Amino acid sequence: MRFLPVSLNALLVELADLDQTLALLASLQRDPLPGVEELVPAARTILVRFRPASGRVAQLVQAIAARDLSRRAERDSTLVEIPVRYDGEDLAEVAQLLGITPAEVVRRHTGSEYTVAFTGFAPGFAYLSGGHPSLDVPRRSTPRTRIPAGAVGLAGTFSGVYPQASPGGWQIIGVTPVAMWNLDRGQPALLQPGYRVRFVDITTLDLAPDAGIGAEASGKPVALAANGRTRAMQAPLAPGQTALQVRATGLLTLFQDLGRHGQARQGVSASGAMDQAALKAANRLAGNPSDSAALETVGGGLQLQSVGETVVAVTGADAPLTVRTADGRQWHAPAHQALALADGDVLGIGQPVAGARCYVAARGGFAIPSVLGSCATDTLANVGPAPLAVGDVLGLHPAPVGAIVSEPAMPAPDLPTLEQDVVLDVVMGPRTDWFTAEAVARLATQRWQVTPQSNRVGLRLAGEVPLERAIGGELPSEGTALGALQVPPSGQPVLFLADHPLTGGYPVIAAVAPYHLDRAGQIPVGAWLRFNPIRAFAELSPAAASGAASTIRELR
């Protein structure tokens, strides 16, 4: 095993092959190590996220290194057949890369059986290993910004199906009408680790080309509903229930909480508020539990009208607030304190002068259902409530007995602005050695500007000189951490934020330190960044924990 640093709360275990990876994963699941919060397996690696306070990293490394990999993971015998219309935009290019015809690509893809090795990237996205050994193609040099749902792709020796429309760099050879992810099913992900998979040319089947069919665990074809999100806020209000009605949404307003942690096995990332400290502060000011759902709005423009008497609090970015009464009176309102709104009052949020995102909490909390244990909206995975629309009525729960509205608070210091460079501390790794020494130095010395293509998935950065790689070729997909600086072949990094994919296939040169993630979530488009490495890249050695046997025993 190799142990590579990822962040102050994560490390990457690299193994020889997929079998070893699955064996270690099975061992860590059978006999968990205290302090380990989540495991994200991939082709030859496992991303281990842990609580830093649970013990020294060296001791955790030593405990993992001592695991026996001789016991192979058990596989499932379930077979799922997926019909494919082979008309993908990269089919001809894949055939040219392999020196065969497009028809031969289809024959080889449908003539072999795959196994679900692991899940990641997005809910319902399964990495399928096996297949014809010749189907080994590189990812695209520049990822597409949008690949349609159902797209069937190749990357390295893996095959996969995109469950939702999303960015991606795989070579697309076709499309399937089968839903890979559907929250209306008891088991949302159609493909589970260990399942066997066969692709079938849809033109050979006796059904309409756009028929939506699939195979559940029984093996019988069943109709699959499309994966859509309902607008949960349209239910009528109960007598006497208070609410906030949306008069204007601004650029984008979403429900967010602290995220849906612990769902990596389903390919679901945590998502959650981009600035978690601001969300907690808004809830505290409104008298709610700190993990309650609140509204996250980017830029200015959000307007909310009080239905009945309500109490709200706005935190996060430094943005002007106004309150306008039903009879037309208007005044500026303070942020970072509880605001009492009378029936008909309209709260408005202006364009921030520092930071990018504001958080609005309401006393009692919003009456919205959770999805997989959270009310957070994941914009990449399309999980959670839909973005707010004009006219939405957001019902509120009654305030619990004993709830206390907090005293006014201070805004976060040093919110990012367009006028000053934003400095973020970073931990080098796990793939720093894939880059030239000049590129590693350039990461810290060069300014990087946030481009308009940025969103909750990540900040796309542009620097005068791209980062050059010392190691070419493909990196097998591996787990990616919140704050990772992934570098595609263009050499322009992407800083992964709350809605980032669980796994990725481009090398990560460094990761933003956890204590600067809230700051990263407040960086506006157009701002300039600088990265400050807080330690040099170095592999983590199990030998560093020698003599710590008693501590290791405690970790078991």
Side-chain angles (χ1 to χ4, degrees):
M1 303 181 199
R2 290 180 71 205
F3 295 87
L4 305 170
V6 172
S7 187
L8 300 180
N9 61 350
L11 60 86
L12 193 72
V13 186
E14 183 181 82
L15 299 109
D17 52 34
L18 180 60
D19 285 339
Q20 282 196 2
T21 301
L22 296 178
L24 177 60
L25 176 66
S27 173
L28 294 174
Q29 289 174 338
R30 285 192 307 267
D31 185 13
L33 294 174
V36 172
E37 295 188 321
E38 198 154 46
L39 303 170
V40 182
R44 292 175 48 216
T45 60
I46 298 178
L47 178 69
V48 180
R49 189 168 61 83
F50 56 88
R51 295 191 300 274
S54 65
R56 292 189 299 168
V57 175
Q59 296 164 355
L60 179 61
V61 167
Q62 182 76 21
I64 295 174
R67 290 301 175 101
D68 180 11
L69 304 185
S70 62
R71 181 176 174 182
R72 291 294 183 250
E74 296 180 1
R75 300 296 183 93
D76 196 300
S77 61
T78 302
L79 173 64
V80 177
E81 292 190 340
I82 300 176
V84 179
R85 187 166 53 250
Y86 285 96
D87 57 358
E89 51 192 313
D90 298 323
L91 179 60
E93 183 177 341
V94 167
Q96 184 177 19
L97 285 170
L98 298 177
I100 57 178
T101 65
E104 180 63 15
V105 173
V106 175
R107 189 191 71 80
R108 295 182 186 183
H109 195 249
T110 58
S112 303
E113 188 175 289
Y114 287 86
T115 299
V116 179
F118 55 94
T119 57
F121 178 70
F125 190 97
Y127 288 81
L128 307 177
S129 64
H132 198 283
S134 67
L135 296 181
D136 185 352
V137 296
R139 291 176 177 81
R140 296 180 57 81
S141 59
T142 301
R144 290 188 173 95
T145 57
R146 188 181 188 278
I147 289 178
V152 178
L154 302 174
T157 60
F158 288 99
S159 188
V161 183
Y162 283 77
Q164 302 284 344
S166 63
W170 288 38
Q171 305 280 5
I172 304 305
I173 61 173
V175 65
T176 178
V178 175
M180 296 292 108
W181 175 263
N182 189 336
L183 288 169
D184 293 332
R185 292 195 294 250
Q187 182 173 276
L190 179 66
L191 302 181
Q192 298 290 320
Y195 279 17
R196 298 154 55 218
V197 177
R198 278 189 176 274
F199 293 99
V200 180
D201 187 345
I202 203 169
T203 62
T204 67
L205 301 177
D206 185 20
L207 45 85
D210 60 349
I213 67 167
E216 297 290 317
S218 64
K220 299 178 181 179
V222 295
L224 298 180
N227 181 32
R229 288 182 294 166
T230 59
R231 302 201 63 82
M233 58 285 294
Q234 296 304 319
L237 297 178
Q241 184 179 11
T242 59
L244 296 173
Q245 185 168 18
V246 180
R247 292 304 187 189
T249 64
L251 184 61
L252 178 67
T253 303
L254 306 168
F255 282 105
Q256 295 296 341
D257 54 22
L258 298 183
R260 50 180 58 84
H261 300 279
Q263 299 288 342
R265 294 182 64 182
Q266 296 197 69
V268 180
S269 64
S271 187
M274 294 270 275
D275 184 344
Q276 303 225 335
L279 178 133
K280 293 177 182 178
N283 276 313
R284 191 163 52 247
L285 289 165
N288 299 333
S290 62
D291 59 352
S292 298
L295 300 178
E296 177 187 272
T297 186
V298 60
L302 177 64
Q303 294 185 19
L304 302 169
Q305 185 172 29
S306 182
V307 179
E309 295 188 349
T310 60
V311 176
V312 300
V314 182
T315 61
D318 182 3
L321 307 181
T322 58
V323 174
R324 186 178 69 253
T325 64
D327 58 8
R329 293 175 295 131
Q330 181 171 306
W331 62 87
H332 291 288
H336 294 90
Q337 71 178 53
L339 298 174
L341 301 179
D343 183 36
D345 286 355
V346 175
L347 171 69
I349 300 178
Q351 184 63 34
V353 296
R357 291 172 172 84
C358 290
Y359 294 84
V360 183
R363 181 167 169 79
F366 292 99
I368 55 170
S370 65
V371 178
L372 298 177
S374 169
C375 297
T377 297
D378 186 327
T379 59
L380 177 64
N382 286 332
V383 174
L388 295 195
V390 173
D392 284 346
V393 177
L394 315 179
L396 302 178
H397 292 298
V401 176
I404 300 174
V405 174
S406 177
E407 294 183 355
M410 295 296 294
D414 301 325
L415 282 168
T417 68
L418 298 177
E419 289 73 31
Q420 293 183 322
D421 290 358
V422 182
V423 179
L424 298 175
D425 289 350
V426 294
V427 176
M428 302 305 294
R431 300 297 178 184
T432 307
D433 55 352
W434 277 56
F435 297 86
T436 65
E438 293 77 11
V440 174
R442 186 174 299 122
L443 177 73
T445 57
Q446 181 170 269
R447 300 169 79 216
W448 304 89
Q449 190 170 31
V450 179
T451 72
Q453 290 72 39
S454 302
N455 51 32
R456 280 181 50 90
V457 176
L459 299 182
R460 292 181 177 265
L461 308 179
E464 183 179 357
V465 182
L467 300 178
E468 298 177 353
R469 281 169 54 168
I471 299 177
E474 289 290 300
L475 175 71
S477 292
E478 59 190 27
T480 53
L482 178 62
L485 280 165
Q486 190 185 66
V487 185
S490 66
Q492 302 290 0
V494 179
L495 198 174
F496 278 173
L497 296 177
D499 292 353
H500 74 280
L502 279 176
T503 60
Y506 300 121
V508 171
I509 190 172
V512 173
Y515 53 80
H516 273 174
L517 289 175
D518 285 347
R519 179 182 295 179
Q522 288 288 3
I523 298 174
V525 169
W528 289 91
L529 309 186
R530 289 187 182 275
F531 296 111
N532 174 47
I534 57 176
R535 67 185 184 198
F537 172 73
E539 289 189 35
L540 305 172
S541 171
S546 60
S550 60
T551 304
I552 296 169
R553 283 193 294 270
E554 292 175 2
L555 284 169
R556 290 189 183 278

